[in-house]
Amino acid sequence: MQEIKSDVVVARQNQQAQFPLSLARYILIGLLSLFVVWLLIKAYVIGSALFSLRNSQIQLQSMLDGGITQLEGDEIESLVLDVRQDILTIESETIVFYPLLTRLEWIPTVGPMLAITPQLLDMATGGIETGAYAIRGLKPAFEILKDDSLSSDAQIAALLQVVNQAAPDINQAHISFQEVIQGRKAITNIEAQPERIQSLFMLADEWLPIADDGLKFLTVAPEIAGVNGPKNYLILAQNEDEIRGTGGFISGSGVITIEQGKVSSIAFQDAYRVDDFSKPYGNPPEGLEDAMGFELFLFRDANFWPDFPTSAQQSMALFSYGLGLPELDGVIAFNQTFLSHILQITGPVAIPENNVTLTSGNVKQALRNAWEEGSGEKWRGDRKDFLGTFAAALQEKIFDNPTQLNPISLAQETTTAINNKDLMMFMTNPNTAMVLNELNWDGRLENPLGSDFLMVADSNVGFNKTNLFIERQIDYNVTISENFITSSSLNISYLHNGQTSPTCAQDDILGPIQPTYDEISNQCYWNYLRVYTPLNTSLTESGTYPISNERLITEQDWLGTFDTVQDLPNWTVFDNLLLVESGQSEPYTLSYRNNGLIQEIEPNIYQYALEIGNQSGLLKDSRTISISIPANREIVEIQPVPTEQIGNQFVFQNIEETTIQIVFR
């Protein structure tokens, strides 16, 4: 009996001991069940949102298949808002997993993509917010596009008003778009992504800057297009075969008047016909006077400075002065390469008067051929009338049927032209000028305080088109000393691939007899060279390249050393006149120093930055930059990645970037 009682007691004790374990097990199972249910709910919500996004994509494709003129503004806005809600849902449901997702990059194939989920959702959120603001502001445009009763001019004017009134929403769209750009910048593991994803990022890297600039430009486009009244812009056609400060000699000029988005008039003429010699003219810049013997500052030489706003204002003033016109509203300058871009967009343009059809491939040669038309003394005045004929034909093709233009080609070609300074714009309206400056569309020279700066600006002062055959090599070497003085040496070499005249005199092609384009191209290269550096830069050494007086139009010997010249404010400028004959030139060298270019950005952390200025029209330019920091310093950060490193020397060969930053300690 006693044994039975003992067994009961033991059983009860075991049962009591197991009860906490069973309870813990049940609690754990319950929590796991709740977690699974929670995951299932989240999966269902995310899946529903993804399914909704897929349906929205199908719906959008169906809308687009009908063409842009069949789109309903309300339907598009509703669709965008639905997509916005789906993306916000996905973001809110997945944000709790962000810490885990960012640590899954090690998983083969899908891991790298899972790791960037937060950045991708940031891009998606910013993108749909951009779309929502843009659609809200531009929604009335869909009804205008559907209105067949409106003429083309009336339709453009109405669309312009819509864009103008949508400025607040477009501005908000631009602000939201910065989330897309920042999200993309935060993604650094592109190489680890699947090939298909990499191609999508390559596409995004091409189009994100274009979209960003486009949104910003839309805020001022109506003002430029004359939404508040007619705008009169000076047109400068520059010939890069004869390089000048802003890209080329001013071959032709004219005024284009735009009102309510319509070109109401355009008049084109030779630059030589602008100046009125019955009026007094001022003295030319020092460089033109010294290198070409000019005594007057005329319109055709107004683009002397590589800073386009400076040259643009001079051009407007001299143009209005010579022709007795009221003040103009801005300047649009382009070169022959830009016309190739335009024809890439429009397709061939026929010029029946000249029995020629222009394409992107033949337009440069056609312009050179037209230069030779005419005979005797009359050729100087009539040789560029072809530009006016071409402008009229181009205007007719573009504005008579603007819907034929491919918007993708338009965006790509225009962006390339602006980035290469084949197209530059300056506007007198302060707000428009500010936006163009922020977009870097105005060809302005800018150098952040405390940064090094390098721009080598050529100006052909030989009255010829020799730049057709010129290639240039720049070697820039910077050494930073222990006490942070930057010593720079600059070597500039030229390769002349054409022929040169036996006399190689500056005035070889001047005279009453009409030369061919080939004859004025195969001449010696007379180059008034300027090197733009930061303020307070001191010239320490210069090579000597003398030119005898019998070759010069001024009939005075040129000593041939680099000197400091008064040119643009905020820069120290060194100049020289160089003569390049056929073949390879010797290197033209100069050295200088500056002791204010190293910035302490944090305690014992220092930065050297170099801004590189590119001159419009120089297509055959090769550049090597070498920067050496003190031997006892170590690199913290360097952008972009150098093409070569030798100890503490960093070499950058023909890089696309225009800014180099080296941070060291």
Side-chain angles (χ1 to χ4, degrees):
M1 189 70 175
Q2 184 66 32
E3 291 179 1
I4 294 175
K5 288 182 179 181
S6 297
D7 291 341
V8 170
V9 171
V10 170
R12 287 177 178 174
Q13 289 175 344
N14 290 337
Q15 188 177 27
Q16 291 173 354
Q18 292 175 0
F19 179 74
L21 295 176
S22 300
L23 180 61
R25 185 180 299 111
Y26 290 139
I27 292 174
L28 179 60
I29 292 173
L31 290 175
L32 288 173
S33 300
L34 288 174
F35 179 70
V36 171
V37 171
W38 177 75
L39 285 177
L40 290 173
I41 292 173
K42 279 197 170 293
Y44 174 78
V45 173
I46 294 171
S48 298
L50 290 171
F51 183 76
S52 177
L53 284 175
R54 174 58 179 163
N55 287 337
S56 296
Q57 181 187 9
I58 296 172
Q59 185 181 353
L60 177 61
Q61 187 60 54
S62 177
M63 291 179 178
L64 293 176
D65 287 343
I68 190 171
T69 58
Q70 301 303 313
L71 294 175
E72 294 286 347
D74 289 335
E75 290 183 7
I76 289 291
E77 184 177 36
S78 176
L79 179 63
V80 168
L81 292 177
D82 288 344
V83 171
R84 176 180 179 272
Q85 185 57 56
D86 290 335
I87 290 175
L88 291 176
T89 297
I90 294 172
E91 183 181 44
S92 65
E93 294 297 328
T94 57
I95 194 170
V96 68
F97 302 115
Y98 281 6
L100 173 64
L101 291 171
T102 56
R103 290 170 170 79
L104 298 180
E105 191 169 3
W106 55 272
I107 298 177
T109 308
V110 298
M113 191 162 54
L114 291 174
I116 61 173
T117 299
Q119 292 79 18
L120 291 175
L121 284 173
D122 285 345
M123 293 177 68
T125 302
I128 198 60
E129 292 289 343
T130 299
Y133 280 119
I135 291 296
R136 186 173 73 178
L138 299 174
K139 186 167 63 172
F142 294 104
E143 294 303 315
I144 296 171
L145 291 171
K146 292 169 60 177
D147 191 346
D148 294 333
S149 66
L150 293 175
S151 67
S152 177
D153 291 344
Q155 195 174 64
I156 291 174
L159 290 172
L160 201 63
Q161 290 291 341
V162 169
V163 175
N164 190 46
Q165 294 168 8
D169 281 326
I170 294 173
N171 188 56
Q172 284 297 321
H174 182 254
I175 293 172
S176 296
F177 198 72
Q178 303 315 300
E179 293 184 41
V180 182
I181 293 175
Q182 293 305 316
R184 170 61 189 93
K185 287 181 178 178
I187 298 173
T188 58
N189 65 342
I190 302 300
E191 295 79 6
Q193 301 297 332
E195 187 174 336
R196 183 173 63 87
I197 301 300
Q198 290 187 39
S199 64
L200 291 175
F201 275 113
M202 289 177 61
L203 191 63
D205 290 343
E206 177 185 359
W207 282 100
L208 287 181
I210 295 176
D212 188 37
D213 287 352
L215 284 169
K216 196 166 189 65
F217 180 68
L218 273 181
T219 63
V220 296
E223 171 65 22
I224 293 175
V227 72
N228 297 314
K231 294 292 183 181
N232 300 304
Y233 301 119
L234 173 62
I235 304 296
L236 299 180
Q238 303 183 122
N239 185 352
E240 61 267 40
D241 292 345
E242 185 177 355
I243 200 72
R244 288 294 177 92
T246 61
F249 184 76
I250 301 175
S251 296
S253 61
V255 175
I256 183 172
T257 301
I258 305 177
E259 185 173 11
Q260 296 297 323
K262 177 186 176 182
V263 177
S264 57
S265 69
I266 181 169
F268 222 83
Q269 62 189 18
D270 191 286
Y272 280 88
R273 295 174 176 173
V274 171
D275 299 301
D276 182 354
F277 291 101
S278 69
K279 300 177 181 180
Y281 280 81
N283 294 327
E286 182 181 344
L288 283 178
E289 184 175 4
D290 292 345
M292 303 187 81
F294 288 170
E295 297 178 353
L296 304 176
F297 190 28
L298 303 177
F299 168 73
R300 62 178 179 261
D301 300 310
N303 64 343
F304 175 74
W305 296 274
D307 178 69
F308 184 67
T310 300
S311 288
Q313 292 176 80
Q314 288 289 341
S315 299
M316 285 191 296
L318 288 169
F319 188 87
S320 296
Y321 179 73
L323 296 177
L325 298 177
E327 291 185 3
L328 298 165
D329 297 301
V331 182
I332 301 172
F334 61 87
N335 59 19
Q336 296 176 115
T337 303
F338 174 69
L339 298 180
S340 296
H341 289 296
I342 287 292
L343 289 166
Q344 189 69 36
I345 299 168
T346 65
V349 172
I351 313 291
E353 300 93 322
N354 298 81
N355 194 30
V356 64
T357 297
L358 297 180
T359 67
S360 61
N362 72 4
V363 63
K364 288 187 178 183
Q365 189 57 50
L367 289 169
R368 291 163 185 157
N369 293 341
W371 193 94
E372 300 178 5
E373 293 180 359
S375 61
E377 292 286 352
K378 191 172 181 289
W379 77 276
R380 287 194 184 276
D382 293 345
R383 59 190 178 181
K384 288 139 186 153
D385 284 349
F386 177 75
L387 288 170
T389 306
F390 174 43
L394 193 62
Q395 176 190 352
E396 181 179 353
K397 179 152 189 175
I398 292 176
F399 291 100
D400 282 0
N401 187 16
T403 57
Q404 70 173 332
L405 302 180
N406 184 326
I408 293 178
S409 177
L410 177 64
Q412 290 176 321
E413 296 294 332
T414 303
T415 299
T416 300
I418 290 173
N419 289 341
N420 293 337
K421 295 186 177 181
D422 298 321
L423 172 67
M424 294 179 285
M425 294 180 283
F426 172 80
M427 302 293 159
T428 58
N429 179 283
N431 181 60
T432 305
M434 179 185 69
V435 171
L436 292 178
N437 180 29
E438 291 172 354
L439 290 170
N440 293 319
W441 289 12
D442 63 350
R444 186 185 303 269
L445 296 190
E446 291 183 304
N447 187 34
L449 184 65
S451 292
D452 196 2
F453 183 85
L454 174 67
M455 182 178 191
V456 179
D458 282 14
S459 289
N460 186 332
V461 294
F463 308 95
N464 58 47
K465 311 299 179 187
T466 309
N467 290 95
L468 185 62
F469 297 115
I470 298 298
E471 298 180 29
R472 189 176 73 173
Q473 168 69 42
I474 295 174
D475 295 294
Y476 185 55
N477 301 288
V478 178
T479 301
I480 303 171
S481 68
E482 294 287 350
N483 55 351
F484 293 162
I485 294 175
T486 56
S487 299
S488 305
S489 64
L490 178 63
N491 300 323
I492 310 162
S493 301
Y494 293 90
L495 176 60
H496 192 322
N497 292 302
Q499 302 299 315
T500 56
S501 62
T503 57
C504 202
Q506 193 176 10
D507 59 354
D508 271 345
I509 64 100
L510 298 181
I513 300 176
Q514 174 184 345
T516 65
Y517 207 89
D518 183 66
E519 288 172 339
I520 62 169
S521 301
N522 283 286
Q523 298 289 329
C524 292
Y525 183 35
W526 294 85
N527 178 24
Y528 175 65
L529 179 74
R530 282 167 290 175
V531 178
Y532 288 81
T533 71
L535 277 177
N536 302 317
T537 300
S538 302
L539 184 66
T540 57
E541 188 176 354
S542 166
T544 303
Y545 315 99
I547 305 173
S548 59
N549 58 19
E550 64 268 14
R551 286 185 162 189
L552 289 161
I553 198 169
T554 61
E555 298 181 348
Q556 296 180 7
D557 289 334
W558 185 268
L559 298 180
T561 58
F562 283 92
D563 292 309
T564 305
V565 63
Q566 294 296 320
D567 190 271
L568 286 174
N570 303 320
W571 275 270
T572 297
V573 183
F574 308 119
D575 74 338
N576 204 349
L577 176 63
L578 307 177
L579 171 58
V580 182
E581 301 185 49
S582 180
Q584 178 71 49
S585 79
E586 62 179 308
Y588 300 100
T589 65
L590 67 156
S591 300
Y592 46 86
R593 65 175 54 185
N594 193 305
N595 61 2
L597 302 181
I598 308 301
Q599 305 299 310
E600 187 173 14
I601 56 177
E602 294 180 21
N604 297 318
I605 303 292
Y606 303 92
Q607 175 180 277
Y608 167 82
L610 171 64
E611 297 290 329
I612 304 166
N614 293 320
Q615 185 180 7
S616 169
L618 288 179
L619 302 180
K620 301 175 182 178
D621 205 6
S622 180
R623 189 164 49 209
T624 300
I625 296 171
S626 173
I627 302 168
S628 300
I629 67 172
N632 62 340
R633 302 286 179 171
E634 63 179 25
I635 290 294
V636 175
E637 181 182 4
I638 184 167
Q639 293 290 339
V641 177
T643 53
E644 184 180 5
Q645 178 179 351
I646 307 170
N648 274 24
Q649 180 187 49
F650 305 92
V651 180
F652 304 85
Q653 178 74 43
N654 293 328
I655 59 172
E656 294 183 1
E657 293 83 355
T658 57
T659 300
I660 296 175
Q661 290 184 325
I662 298 179
V663 180
F664 58 91
R665 60 188 170 202

